[in-house]
Amino acid sequence: MNALRDQIHAVMGRSPGVDAIRMRASVDAILAQADNADTQARERMIASVSQVDVPVDDFVPMSMALAWVEAPAGSAMTSMAKQLVAERGAAPLDDRGTILRWVDRVDHSVDGGTVHTVQPTYLIRVPHAPDTALMIRTTILDGGNGEHAAANDIQAMTLLSDGIVATFRWRNDG
């Protein structure tokens, strides 16, 4: 997390109109919350992916987290998927309908302000396990305290996330 924190701080320092001191404190608080959440949910969390040791000009302020999701007891993942379609506007990412996608905008209140994120999230059912799915959540830093990144930057990072997830396939070991 420290490498990610350093990269985000460097990017913020180069962004016009960003109150870097307040944003740094906000980002530090969110990353601390993420560290805590990761510790609490470690059994379900599979992996997290973010850039490290990347020049500031090449850094993309987004990360991805992968976790197993279990359907509520007595139901199948299809019920959960129907609920996501109805309540979150989820829709298939791919033509075969194997990847369900929705996007949330989440504001994180931290000491000294608010950090804005965009979170494309994907649900991929596990073959032969009707009550289990893989969830991939991308978190894109969208600014803070009412300041937002350019819409075309957010769109480009969202498309990058979609492209990465669209390549996902289950391996057949049989």
Side-chain angles (χ1 to χ4, degrees):
M1 283 290 186
N2 288 333
L4 178 60
R5 179 179 290 111
D6 293 344
Q7 290 287 344
I8 292 172
H9 285 193
V11 168
M12 286 187 306
R14 302 184 85 160
S15 300
V18 172
D19 181 346
I21 293 171
R22 291 181 82 180
M23 284 297 297
R24 281 187 178 122
S26 298
V27 166
D28 289 347
I30 284 178
L31 291 175
Q33 289 172 2
D35 277 341
N36 186 37
D38 182 44
T39 300
Q40 292 174 358
R42 191 169 307 280
E43 293 176 2
R44 299 180 75 210
M45 180 70 95
I46 299 168
S48 61
V49 181
S50 60
Q51 292 178 303
V52 294
D53 299 327
V54 176
V56 172
D57 290 340
D58 296 333
F59 181 73
V60 178
M62 70 182 249
S63 63
M64 300 178 96
L66 292 81
W68 294 118
V69 176
E70 301 291 329
S75 68
M77 195 52 64
T78 53
S79 298
M80 186 174 163
K82 288 177 184 177
Q83 184 177 2
L84 288 167
V85 169
E87 295 177 7
R88 297 250 178 110
L93 175 66
D94 58 333
D95 292 338
R96 295 179 312 177
T98 58
I99 303 171
L100 193 60
R101 173 193 182 271
W102 67 97
V103 178
D104 294 317
R105 291 188 167 274
V106 180
D107 292 338
H108 303 275
S109 296
V110 294
D111 292 340
T114 303
V115 174
H116 312 295
T117 63
V118 175
Q119 296 181 340
T121 305
Y122 312 87
L123 192 69
I124 306 167
R125 193 177 61 78
V126 177
H128 312 295
D131 61 343
T132 305
L134 172 66
M135 183 175 70
I136 303 173
R137 173 170 289 136
T138 301
T139 300
I140 301 168
L141 182 62
D142 183 29
N145 298 327
E147 298 280 333
H148 291 274
N152 59 338
D153 291 342
I154 298 300
Q155 182 180 20
M157 287 183 276
T158 300
L159 288 172
L160 174 61
S161 176
D162 288 351
I164 292 168
V165 173
T167 67
F168 181 87
R169 299 292 181 270
W170 293 110
R171 185 173 79 188
N172 184 357
D173 288 335

